[in-house]
Amino acid sequence: MRHHLTCKSRYTVYLISCKNCSKQYTGFTRDPLHVRHGGHRQEIRQQYTELGCHFARCGEENLSIQIIDCVKEGQDDALLYMEGIWQNRLATFEQNGGNIKRIKLFSRRLPEFIKRALGI
């Protein structure tokens, strides 16, 4: 990676992996990653999302999070695009059995050639 990224980095695409069962989730955040990670931990405690319920079963200690890409702050469309690219590259779509949470379809905001490339 060409950037120095930390838990305080913003506008990142990240990968959550379950060390217990190997399922993965690709997400993005405009906020610092540590803030978004805190949100995911809240989801686990309250079990109100698929990701939260998954790690409530497998154990929060099995959650691993890492930054896999970033875009320049303020480039929201590029952030959504990069999340889709990584979901496609890592096959973390729910239909592939990989993603814990459903793919976020922002297809109305993406150009047609990008939709075709992502298969949406």
Side-chain angles (χ1 to χ4, degrees):
M1 249 187 217
R2 299 175 299 253
H3 306 281
H4 176 73
L5 300 170
T6 70
C7 65
K8 295 186 179 185
S9 297
R10 295 169 36 98
Y11 281 80
T12 59
V13 178
Y14 59 89
L15 178 67
I16 291 179
S17 301
C18 179
K19 295 185 265 183
N20 184 48
C21 70
S22 301
K23 286 202 176 209
Q24 294 182 313
Y25 167 74
T26 305
F28 74 90
T29 183
R30 294 174 192 93
D31 297 323
L33 184 62
H34 71 93
V35 172
R36 183 66 193 105
H37 180 53
H40 284 309
R41 290 182 16 238
Q42 185 72 15
E43 291 172 24
I44 295 167
R45 284 190 291 275
Q46 295 185 356
Q47 299 181 37
Y48 62 88
T49 65
E50 290 178 48
L51 186 136
C53 292
H54 177 85
F55 283 101
R57 286 189 308 274
C58 279
E60 188 175 344
E61 68 278 2
N62 287 309
L63 186 148
S64 170
I65 188 168
Q66 65 189 72
I67 297 173
I68 55 176
D69 216 332
C70 67
V71 300
K72 188 175 178 180
E73 287 192 26
Q75 294 186 342
D76 291 11
D77 288 340
L79 187 60
L80 296 172
Y81 172 73
M82 289 310 298
E83 180 196 34
I85 290 293
W86 281 104
Q87 286 175 332
N88 190 45
R89 280 185 188 164
L90 299 174
T92 56
F93 297 108
E94 187 172 23
Q95 59 266 28
N96 291 334
N99 211 9
I100 296 166
K101 204 170 172 183
R102 293 192 184 280
I103 178 175
K104 299 176 191 92
L105 291 179
F106 295 99
S107 57
R108 282 186 232 131
R109 297 167 71 180
L110 296 175
E112 284 302 317
F113 76 96
I114 294 173
K115 290 187 216 176
R116 284 192 301 276
L118 295 174
I120 56 175

